[in-house]
Amino acid sequence: MTLPDLPLATLRLHIDPDALAANWRALDVMSGTARAGAAVKANAYGLGVDLAVPALRDAGCQQFFVAHWQEVPAVLRHVPAAQVTVLHGAHNAAEAAFARDVGVAPVINNVQQARLWQSGGGGRCHLMVDTGINRLGLAPDLLGDEAVAALDVDILLSHLASADEDSPLNAVQCDRFEAARAHVAPRRSSLANSAGIALGGGYHFDVTRPGLSLYGGIARPELAGSITQVAFPQAAVIQRRTVSAGASIGYNATFTAPQDIETATVSIGYADGFLRNRGAGNTFSYNGASLPVLGRVSMDMVVLDCSNCLNLREGDWVDVPFDLPTEAERSGFTQYELLTTIGQRFFRS
Ligand SMILES: *Cc1c(COP(=O)(O)O)cnc(C)c1O
């Protein structure tokens, strides 16, 4: 059976392509003589690959980083395979064969992967060396391994553990990376994520890999003046009512109306990424009027106090608070978590 066209969603996420392009350009300029790439893993940090990748490509970005092989097809709809990098590496024959067939170079993360890649014919690849995050990548003392030495390394990568802090580990990792570069002699080198870009010229090398700050996150205070909000979520009012004095609102009756109160129930809940601890004390807004959250966040709904906005009607769209640094500060979630937990029910445009 063919279904008729779906009615319009009651939850929408606007991605501002100009803000995204401007953030990429700002990060590219801040990267000095290096070129900025873009981390577009996890569906472009929740914003949507189909909106984010074309905007980044048209701004001039030519290097796109994902984590999983399963993320490759969506990115290939918009950019050539030679510009895509899969960070998690090629662990087995199936992944290595896929890499070779589509022309997406894998990041080699250990000796076994180096051998696997070489035994399948070798060719252009990238190499991740672990300089101190101790997470993923080749230990520097294995750079002399025969299979590793035989690799045709395009980009030598490493990842900073504490670039968002003024940690002595940053300089230590940078020094170890310099040493690894001297050993490998790759075509290009890449160390800095968003925060790393703000650490200065010594961290830039040839390619930078911003993610968070492309999407409006402020990875370090130095970036605050140059990065603007990209994602704007809105939820529709699905019910207006008057709650009588003494009545409670929501699960577990955590809020009781001190007097008759005008409320708007909106179509967003924790299943959409508006997790419970983003509710208490927070406010939505409508045309500049603020609408405090009342009671608990449900799976699909939040109740707002619209006493100072009595013209609010069912079907109207309210702005969900999403200034990333502010929301992170008040909720305890990181800016990364706020982006990547944006739900699937949003209509993205
Ligand atoms: C996710 C990721 C990035 C992007 O980091 P941000 O902090 O979001 O800028 C860069 N490099 C690697 C290896 C990553 O995993």
Side-chain angles (χ1 to χ4, degrees), residues 38-39 41 45 65 67 87-88 128 135 157-160 190-197 208-215 219 336:
K41 58 194 179 181
Y45 286 43
F65 298 89
L87 291 162
H88 280 192
M128 173 73 78
R135 190 180 67 169
L157 305 102
S158 192
H159 193 55
L160 296 165
S190 175
L191 178 63
N193 60 349
S194 302
I197 292 170
T208 57
R209 307 187 304 271
L212 181 72
S213 292
L214 293 173
Y215 310 114
Y336 296 87

Side-chain angles (χ1 to χ4, degrees), residues 33 76 103 121 188 347:
T33 54
L76 289 186
R188 299 181 283 170
F347 175 73

Side-chain angles (χ1 to χ4, degrees), residues 173-318:
Q173 287 197 261
C174 198
D175 289 348
R176 289 180 186 152
F177 189 59
E178 288 278 17
R181 272 181 92 211
H183 206 294
V184 176
R187 265 167 263 172
R188 299 181 283 170
S189 304
S190 175
L191 178 63
N193 60 349
S194 302
I197 292 170
L199 291 178
Y203 291 80
H204 295 159
F205 297 95
D206 305 308
V207 180
T208 57
R209 307 187 304 271
L212 181 72
S213 292
L214 293 173
Y215 310 114
I218 308 299
R220 282 184 64 99
E222 295 90 329
L223 297 171
S226 326
I227 298 300
T228 56
Q229 188 170 346
V230 171
F232 298 88
Q234 289 188 313
V237 176
I238 55 173
Q239 189 157 95
R240 275 278 280 112
R241 55 200 297 151
T242 308
V243 174
S244 309
S248 65
I249 293 175
Y251 282 120
N252 306 110
T254 60
F255 176 85
T256 301
Q259 70 272 322
D260 287 1
I261 187 167
E262 290 299 311
T263 68
T265 303
V266 296
S267 174
I268 185 172
Y270 57 78
D272 306 300
F274 195 78
L275 301 180
R276 270 196 178 180
N277 58 349
R278 288 177 65 190
N282 210 346
T283 54
F284 285 50
S285 63
Y286 180 75
N287 284 342
S290 76
L291 310 166
V293 173
L294 300 174
R296 289 246 159 100
V297 174
S298 302
M299 188 184 294
D300 320 301
M301 284 172 270
V302 169
V303 178
L304 305 174
D305 177 353
C306 61
S307 306
N308 59 17
C309 195
L310 296 174
N311 61 347
L312 190 65
R313 300 248 185 289
E314 289 176 12
D316 285 344
W317 291 94
V318 301

